[in-house]
Amino acid sequence: MNTGFFWDESCFWHGGGNYASMMPVAGLVQPMVNGGLPESPESKRRLKNLLDMTGLSKELAMQGAPRASREDLLRVHPAAFIDQFKAMSDAGGGEIGLRCPFGPGGFEIAAQSAGLAMGALEAVLNGELKNAYSLSRPPGHHCTRDEPMGFCLLANISIAIEAALAKGLAKRVAVLDWDVHHGNGTEAIFYDRADVLTISMHQENNFPVDKGAFEDRGEGAGEGFNVNVSLPGGAGHASYLEAMDQIALPQIRAFKPDVIIVACGYDAALIDPLARMMATVDTFRQMTRQVMALADEICDGRVVMVHEGGYSEVYVPFCGHAVLQEMSGSDIDAPDPMAALYEKRQPGEAHQRFVSGEIAKMRDALDL
Ligand code: ZN
């Protein structure tokens, strides 16, 4: 088996509520689905379930990974932040940043989520697997060194990268963030670094509203190693593939990384409640093909996907299944139940021309 799938049941138990019916959440009392928050275990659990239902999971190297240790976390997060998070978690949970609630044991679950990303990256870099997917939850790309936000409690991908660099498993890493929201945490952590290229493709002015400008290109040694592809609302299938082809892929090709990590959110999907983009299952399938073809060309096929956002409990599993089918080269398909309808809902010609123009402006400004 060439493709790893890293998951852990505890990641589905992360929640903001401290009660299950009338019983306090503790020990083996599983939290209820989050009270009112759009981020819930369901979109992730149902992806795992769909892989089992179709049998694709039998063609993947399903496995767990150890939690990220305190030493692993300290490469990215200050001790004071780690201690505060751990103390709140031990005391029964709370909220540690903008829209970052967690219950008892939330610290350990977040460390597990980061540990899965670490395990996936390490297994690919040491050659055990060709590529790997980490079903991380809570997500990580909004979390800076000391400021969790947007459901992200620890910076999963950054923790994994720093561990790999510290172990000498890689020298240069490219992060392509296609979650529909700006990857502000990953950007901030590596903003002054030339060894980690960060690219975020996102809906402009979504979340965080004041981040993700095209002009933000990095600073100091990191000048030129951060790229924000800020797309207008309503951008659809063709625009995503065009932005990949015209901007993201050429940037990664020029950077020559040892591995490509995708911050793999599915909230650019047409049905997602937290954004206004028009991507479909086929968009994520085609973008995966694009990344894999480039990885074959420049870094022996080394690709690691780390799960980020995506809030349609029904649709996310189909998007993820398509990504994993492509990664593994399997024949086992889970056809998009909405394919015919969502194809008809793609933007019209005028809107398409407008978005193409915006992409061309960015490409020209980057001299690509
Ligand atoms: Zn998102």
Side-chain angles (χ1 to χ4, degrees):
M1 287 178 188
N2 291 324
T3 300
F5 186 86
F6 289 72
W7 73 287
D8 192 281
E9 175 66 24
S10 70
C11 288
F12 304 141
W13 286 43
H14 164 59
N18 285 337
Y19 289 88
S21 188
M22 295 300 283
M23 274 182 243
V25 168
L28 290 175
V29 180
Q30 183 177 352
M32 302 292 278
V33 170
N34 278 358
L37 272 188
E39 201 288 320
S40 89
E42 286 306 286
S43 53
K44 295 85 186 174
R45 190 193 294 278
R46 289 170 64 122
L47 167 55
K48 163 73 170 50
N49 291 347
L50 186 62
L51 296 171
D52 290 340
M53 200 65 192
T54 62
L56 182 54
S57 56
K58 291 196 179 71
E59 299 189 7
L60 307 173
M62 308 290 282
Q63 56 198 284
R67 289 177 191 155
S69 68
R70 184 178 169 82
E71 186 189 353
D72 296 324
L73 303 184
L74 278 169
R75 292 191 194 97
V76 171
H77 300 291
F81 162 68
I82 296 169
D83 293 343
Q84 185 198 4
F85 182 10
K86 169 85 170 117
M88 285 175 72
S89 173
D90 288 350
E95 183 142 13
I96 200 170
L98 179 66
R99 297 197 192 98
C100 282
F102 58 96
F107 177 81
E108 282 74 21
I109 297 174
Q112 180 63 72
S113 182
L116 295 174
M118 287 176 58
L121 180 57
E122 194 167 327
V124 168
L125 286 173
N126 69 22
E128 283 167 45
L129 296 164
K130 182 180 181 222
N131 53 38
Y133 192 104
S134 170
L135 188 58
S136 293
R137 176 177 185 267
H141 74 146
H142 291 309
C143 184
T144 69
R145 290 189 188 279
D146 58 1
E147 194 182 2
M149 66 172 87
F151 320 134
C152 299
L153 294 164
L154 295 171
N156 301 332
I157 286 176
S158 303
I159 292 164
I161 291 173
E162 292 290 24
L165 295 174
K167 289 174 189 166
L169 293 171
K171 288 196 168 64
R172 295 164 73 78
V173 179
V175 182
L176 170 59
D177 187 328
W178 69 41
D179 185 284
V180 79
H181 305 105
H182 177 235
N184 62 293
T186 323
E187 172 186 276
I189 289 164
F190 297 110
Y191 205 58
D192 59 356
R193 294 264 294 267
D195 55 346
V196 180
L197 170 69
T198 48
I199 302 175
S200 177
M201 300 205 311
H202 48 267
Q203 181 184 348
E204 66 182 352
N205 305 330
N206 188 312
F207 183 87
V209 285
D210 54 348
K211 300 280 187 201
F214 174 75
E215 292 72 27
D216 297 344
R217 298 280 286 118
E219 67 185 10
E223 178 77 44
F225 295 99
N226 182 68
V227 181
N228 283 322
V229 186
S230 190
L231 295 169
H237 175 81
S239 295
Y240 266 88
L241 300 191
E242 192 174 325
M244 289 281 287
D245 191 52
Q246 300 281 306
I247 302 175
L249 301 175
Q251 286 282 336
I252 297 171
R253 184 180 285 110
F255 183 70
K256 298 193 182 73
D258 300 316
V259 59
I260 303 171
I261 301 177
V262 177
C264 186
Y266 300 107
D267 35 17
L270 192 153
I271 195 176
D272 197 274
L274 293 192
R276 298 292 177 267
M277 298 305 229
M278 309 290 275
T280 68
V281 164
D282 195 42
T283 313
F284 294 103
R285 182 187 298 284
Q286 299 298 338
M287 290 198 297
T288 302
R289 275 187 199 163
Q290 287 176 313
V291 167
M292 289 178 66
L294 176 61
D296 281 341
E297 180 189 323
I298 62 173
C299 55
D300 294 330
R302 287 187 286 270
V303 173
V304 175
M305 300 266 181
V306 180
H307 198 103
E308 295 282 357
Y311 304 97
S312 167
E313 296 175 5
V314 180
Y315 203 61
V316 163
F318 289 92
C319 298
H321 195 286
V323 166
L324 280 150
Q325 187 190 353
E326 292 303 319
M327 291 177 78
S328 61
S330 172
D331 295 332
I332 298 176
D333 194 18
D336 176 1
M338 304 304 283
L341 181 61
Y342 287 0
E343 199 179 325
K344 285 191 190 138
R345 286 189 182 168
Q346 289 302 304
E349 208 180 305
H351 188 270
Q352 189 63 54
R353 259 201 316 277
F354 165 66
V355 181
S356 286
E358 297 300 299
I359 292 171
K361 274 187 226 164
M362 288 187 268
R363 182 200 61 207
D364 293 347
L366 292 167
D367 278 332
L368 293 170

